């Protein structure tokens, strides 16, 4: 099965080059050729997707989402009355909204069981290609310990999601093995406190370097890497010392932390929109006061930290923490990255070539070179001239995944 996608132009994020009057050939879901129409021979029996008026570019990648979370704020009463099966089904509309916003591949940073990824792969419902962390591990009282002062824990108990709370080196080894057994592609650790957790502070480091190192070793033994929710400066440095591959959020980077990141070529996934959505939800009365206060307190520091990282040319992969904010709103992160000094070309690379390298999809996603998945989007203009074209889901007119049309709103 061969499909030819025609566009007014084709944008290669790697080089920022624009090819006018372009075509992408997709054969059995994989790109077989791409370039100007004058140079690509389109077989007579090829199916045609006409992207007239559109600039084509590779499908976007979000390296930090939570498809199982609704993204409409945190209502503790509602959480108490949500059965775990309903929590999982939240991922169905979330996956569709993400895909229709142009994000054809994501790394889920915890909370979403592997069954969601398998269901999408089997075509049960539309969604992005996924890598999943299954759960995010933290220490007792840490970021994913949703134990409240009254004694109730608000973590939904799913049979194929191991407990997120773990203390000590040997228990960490066993838990990482359990998370991998549950289908995890990535191991997610919380090496600092966070905003949406009742018992900790984003300023404090959590888990010891030895605990983190044990997780990194166990992950590596089975071909996985570790991503660290790391906001506190000490938590960032502990994670880097122990060998994690990516720092998520990175609210308090300093010169030393940036040196450590540059040294190992480690990636930073800023998720700048996340605290913004905590504040927005709080304004709508859908956020507990302690979380709203923490979100407001970190917002400006977060921006200053990411600005430093951009200036130092730290490797930045696009990620949004969507699930805090609404699914499909992912593209707003582009505008925040640009506001902090990132060029439009680097913004697009963060969500294509760089994210693909970081997540482990180099050559498959974030590019339309032959051999890549046939995942592309079409927007009415060049996003390098106007990032709004990828920032707003309505501007993403065409979404193709594996050569199949997933959205065509013309
Ligand atoms: Zn997250």
């Amino acid at each position: 099965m061969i499909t030819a996608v025609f566009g007014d132009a084709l944008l290669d994020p790697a080089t920022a080059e624009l090819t006018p009057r372009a075509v992408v050939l997709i054969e059995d879901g994989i790109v077989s050729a791409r370039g100007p129409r004058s140079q690509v021979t389109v077989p007579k029996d090829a199916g045609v997707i006409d992207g007239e008026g559109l600039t084509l570019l590779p499908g976007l990648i979000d390296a930090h989402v939570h498809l199982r979370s609704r993204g409409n704020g945190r209502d503790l009463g509602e959480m108490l009355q949500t059965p775990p099966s309903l929590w999982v089904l939240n991922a169905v509309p979330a996956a569709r909204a993400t895909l229709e916003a142009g994000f054809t591949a994501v790394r889920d940073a915890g909370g979403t069981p592997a069954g969601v990824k398998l269901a999408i792969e089997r075509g049960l419902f539309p969604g992005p290609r996924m890598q999943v962390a299954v759960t995010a591990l933290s220490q007792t009282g840490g970021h994913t310990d949703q134990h409240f002062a009254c004694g109730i824990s608000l973590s939904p108990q799913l049979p194929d999601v191991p407990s997120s709370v773990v203390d000590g080196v040997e228990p960490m080894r066993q838990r990482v093995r359990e998370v991998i057994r549950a289908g995890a592609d990535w191991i997610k650790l919380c090496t600092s406190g966070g905003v949406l957790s009742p018992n900790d502070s984003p300023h404090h480091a959590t888990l010891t370097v030895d605990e983190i190192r044990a997780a990194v070793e166990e992950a590596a033994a089975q071909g996985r890497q570790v991503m660290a929710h790391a906001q506190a400066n000490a938590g960032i440095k502990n994670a880097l010392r122990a060998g994690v591959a990516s720092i998520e959020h990175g609210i308090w980077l300093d010169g030393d932390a940036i040196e450590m990141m540059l040294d190992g070529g480690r990636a930073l996934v800023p998720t700048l929109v996340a605290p913004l959505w905590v504040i927005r939800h709080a304004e709508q009365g859908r956020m507990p006061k302690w979380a709203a206060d923490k979100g407001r307190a970190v917002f400006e520091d977060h921006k200053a930290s990411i600005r430093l990282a951009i200036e130092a040319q730290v490797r930045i992969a696009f990620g949004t923490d969507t699930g805090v904010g609404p699914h499909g709103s992912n593209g707003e992160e582009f505008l925040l990255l640009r506001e902090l000094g990132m060029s439009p070309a680097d913004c697009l690379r963060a969500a294509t070539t760089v994210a693909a390298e970081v997540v482990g999809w180099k050559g498959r996603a974030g590019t339309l070179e032959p051999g890549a998945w046939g995942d592309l989007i079409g927007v009415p203009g060049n996003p390098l001239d106007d990032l709004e074209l990828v920032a707003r889901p309505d501007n993403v007119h065409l979404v193709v995944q594996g050569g199949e049309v997933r959205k065509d709103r013309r």
Side-chain angles (χ1 to χ4, degrees):
M1 172 71 186
I2 301 181
T3 304
V5 190
F6 293 95
D8 278 10
L10 174 66
L11 177 65
D12 180 356
T15 59
E17 266 173 40
L18 200 65
T19 305
R21 289 183 51 78
V23 60
V24 180
L25 276 190
I26 302 170
E27 205 169 331
D28 296 327
I30 304 292
V31 176
S32 57
R34 54 101 162 79
R37 286 180 213 185
S38 54
Q39 288 174 27
V40 175
T41 310
V42 177
K44 288 215 163 39
D45 59 346
V48 169
I49 300 171
D50 182 6
E52 200 197 330
L54 301 179
T55 298
L56 308 177
L57 64 152
L60 305 171
I61 303 165
D62 190 324
H64 191 131
V65 299
H66 300 277
L67 290 189
R68 198 214 56 195
S69 303
R70 284 183 70 194
N72 63 343
R74 192 147 294 203
D75 178 330
L76 299 181
E78 184 183 313
M79 286 168 78
L80 279 169
Q81 297 190 60
T82 303
S85 51
L86 180 54
W87 275 105
V88 176
L89 288 166
N90 287 334
V92 177
R96 179 191 288 273
T98 304
L99 182 61
E100 292 186 349
F103 290 82
T104 54
V106 300
R107 180 175 64 167
D108 191 287
T112 308
V116 170
K117 168 181 132 170
L118 298 175
I120 292 171
E121 284 176 2
R122 291 172 192 188
L124 301 190
F125 53 88
R129 299 176 196 272
M130 292 184 77
Q131 295 198 22
V132 293
V134 176
T135 189
L137 303 176
S138 81
Q139 67 182 39
T140 295
H143 183 50
T144 51
D145 184 354
Q146 292 288 321
H147 180 97
F148 283 77
C150 61
I152 289 174
S153 175
L154 278 182
S155 297
Q157 294 299 309
L158 288 158
D160 59 344
V161 175
S163 165
S164 61
V165 179
V166 59
D167 299 280
V169 168
E170 290 309 314
M172 176 65 86
R173 289 191 188 283
Q174 180 175 349
R175 187 61 49 78
V176 169
R177 292 170 188 175
E178 288 168 355
V179 175
I180 291 173
R181 183 178 66 186
D185 305 293
W186 277 82
I187 297 301
K188 167 89 176 285
L189 301 182
C190 302
T191 68
S192 82
V195 171
L196 293 184
S197 34
N199 305 304
D200 63 8
S201 158
H203 284 280
H204 295 156
T206 55
L207 296 175
T208 64
V209 175
D210 286 344
E211 287 168 326
I212 303 165
R213 192 171 283 130
V216 169
E217 285 172 9
E218 287 300 326
Q222 297 194 60
R224 269 79 163 177
Q225 293 182 295
V226 175
M227 57 192 294
H229 160 104
Q231 304 189 337
N233 184 268
I236 293 167
K237 288 176 182 166
N238 285 347
L240 292 170
R241 274 185 203 109
V244 309
S246 72
I247 294 292
E248 313 295 307
H249 319 304
I251 292 178
W252 289 287
L253 288 162
D254 61 7
D256 291 343
I258 283 174
E259 278 304 312
M260 291 168 80
M261 298 211 60
L262 290 171
D263 197 24
R266 260 80 71 88
L268 173 67
V269 183
T271 75
L272 291 159
V273 285
L276 197 56
W277 276 108
V278 171
I279 295 166
R280 288 172 179 163
H281 290 319
E283 284 163 0
Q284 303 298 314
R286 288 190 61 86
M287 196 50 74
K289 187 178 179 304
W290 46 265
D293 289 347
K294 286 200 272 185
R296 288 192 189 95
V298 304
F299 187 54
E300 289 304 324
D301 286 356
H302 194 190
K303 291 207 290 192
S305 175
I306 303 307
R307 190 188 290 277
L308 275 182
I310 291 170
E311 280 168 10
Q313 297 191 313
V314 168
R315 196 168 167 225
I316 292 180
F318 184 99
T320 58
D321 221 358
T322 299
V324 177
H327 298 281
S329 73
N330 315 55
E332 188 180 4
E333 181 81 7
F334 285 119
L335 306 180
L336 294 169
L337 289 168
R338 186 189 54 186
E339 182 190 317
L340 297 182
M342 191 181 269
S343 72
D346 282 339
C347 287
L348 273 189
R349 285 182 195 118
T352 52
T353 49
V354 177
E357 269 172 34
V358 169
V359 171
W361 279 326
K362 189 171 192 279
R364 306 293 275 169
T367 173
L368 289 171
E369 65 196 34
W373 289 316
D375 299 354
L376 59 86
I377 63 172
V379 297
N382 184 350
L384 295 181
D385 298 333
D386 181 7
L387 273 179
E388 294 277 348
L389 293 170
V390 285
R392 311 273 171 226
D394 284 353
N395 289 336
V396 178
H397 289 199
L398 178 69
V399 178
V400 173
Q401 192 187 36
E404 309 266 342
V405 175
R406 301 292 192 219
K407 178 188 184 184
D408 187 351
R409 66 173 294 270
R410 289 163 307 138

